[in-house]
């Protein structure tokens, strides 16, 4: 629906990680895009994505569901044996194991329900789940290969009469251990982040 870019530090409003800027994405309400949409795309690096979305309105209640999946090759290259992809990397960037050449895969689903209490207020509840395989993430201890992980999330919101109250949470949980490419050791990440405003 809308994307806002807020440049510069914004930790006081958006938390400790908002030191360079914030991208605020506002999604479209289900009642504004009723019906069914099927999306099938293909692109470079043998990437394929497909999803189906359905939205409907019943009186004051509107809802949206979505299911989909993605698969594609990664742009990530191995840094084993000082085989760096660009200048500027040092011995600290050397990795002990190769990055996986398997395709990145994800499956995802979500549901959102909006209920209009009256003409000036509404409540929203939504949540979703994504399962990812073979993605590479950058952490404070170097690059990490995700073998298989789940990323659940949820949000509850009230908006009306000049007040906005929201709770949201997201998680990252390993189904299979992650691999620290710098050391070859297994890592386990089972975390939830909770926020209220």
């Amino acid at each position: 629906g809308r994307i806002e870019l807020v440049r510069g530090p914004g930790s006081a409003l958006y938390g400790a990680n908002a030191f360079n800027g914030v991208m605020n994405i506002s999604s479209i309400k289900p009642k504004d895009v009723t019906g069914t949409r099927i999306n099938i795309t293909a692109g470079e690096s043998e990437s394929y994505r497909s999803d189906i979305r359905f939205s409907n309105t019943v009186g004051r209640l509107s809802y949206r569901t979505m299911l989909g999946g993605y698969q594609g090759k990664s742009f990530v290259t191995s840094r084993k044996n000082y085989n760096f992809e660009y200048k500027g990397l040092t011995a600290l960037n050397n990795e002990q194991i190769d990055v996986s050449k398997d395709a990145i895969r994800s499956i995802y689903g979500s549901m959102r329900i909006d209920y209009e209490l009256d003409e000036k207020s509404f409540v929203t509840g939504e949540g979703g789940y994504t399962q990812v395989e073979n993605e590479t993430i950058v952490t404070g201890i170097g690059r990490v290969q995700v073998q298989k992980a789940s990323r659940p999330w949820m949000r509850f919101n009230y908006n009306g009469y000049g007040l906005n109250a929201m709770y949201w949470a997201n998680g990252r949980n390993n189904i299979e251990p992650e691999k620290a490419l710098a050391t070859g050791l297994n890592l386990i990440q089972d975390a939830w982040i909770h926020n209220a405003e």
Side-chain angles (χ1 to χ4, degrees):
R2 184 176 72 250
I3 298 176
E4 298 174 306
L5 296 174
V6 183
R7 292 179 17 180
S11 298
L13 291 175
Y14 299 104
N17 290 329
F19 50 86
N20 284 332
V22 172
M23 180 188 301
N24 185 26
I25 301 172
S26 298
S27 59
I28 298 172
K29 293 180 180 179
K31 71 175 186 175
D32 295 334
V33 287
T34 59
T36 302
R37 182 192 78 180
I38 298 173
N39 185 29
I40 300 172
T41 59
E44 63 182 328
S45 296
E46 299 176 23
S47 63
Y48 307 97
R49 178 186 302 271
S50 63
D51 55 51
I52 183 168
R53 182 197 72 202
F54 177 73
S55 300
N56 197 17
T57 301
V58 180
R60 293 183 175 192
L61 180 80
S62 58
Y63 62 92
R64 175 174 57 227
T65 61
M66 177 185 253
L67 290 172
Y70 168 83
Q71 178 173 313
K73 288 186 176 178
S74 174
F75 290 104
V76 175
T77 60
S78 177
R79 294 181 182 167
K80 188 176 177 183
N81 299 324
Y82 300 91
N83 184 24
F84 300 146
E85 67 270 31
Y86 56 88
K87 293 180 181 179
L89 297 178
T90 67
L92 294 173
N93 301 108
N94 188 49
E95 297 175 343
Q96 301 299 313
I97 59 174
D98 282 322
V99 69
S100 173
K101 297 294 183 187
D102 292 338
I104 298 171
R105 289 184 290 277
S106 68
I107 55 171
Y108 51 87
S110 65
M111 181 163 194
R112 173 175 170 164
I113 299 172
D114 289 0
Y115 185 76
E116 295 179 354
L117 301 170
D118 55 37
E119 293 180 2
K120 296 182 179 181
S121 63
F122 66 92
V123 292
T124 298
E126 65 181 326
Y129 177 88
T130 300
Q131 180 178 296
V132 296
E133 295 180 43
N134 303 319
E135 69 178 356
T136 302
I137 58 176
V138 178
T139 71
I141 61 168
R143 299 191 309 173
V144 172
Q145 182 82 53
V146 176
Q147 296 186 93
K148 188 183 283 188
S150 66
R151 298 189 323 212
W153 61 273
M154 68 182 92
R155 177 178 77 98
F156 301 99
N157 192 79
Y158 166 83
N159 185 285
Y161 299 97
L163 173 67
N164 187 67
M166 180 169 59
Y167 163 79
W168 61 272
N170 59 28
R172 186 173 190 93
N173 306 293
N174 290 131
I175 298 169
E176 295 178 15
E178 299 174 351
K179 291 284 187 186
L181 298 178
T183 62
L185 297 175
N186 286 342
L187 302 173
I188 299 295
Q189 183 178 182
D190 290 320
W192 275 94
I193 299 172
H194 300 270
N195 292 274
E197 59 184 70

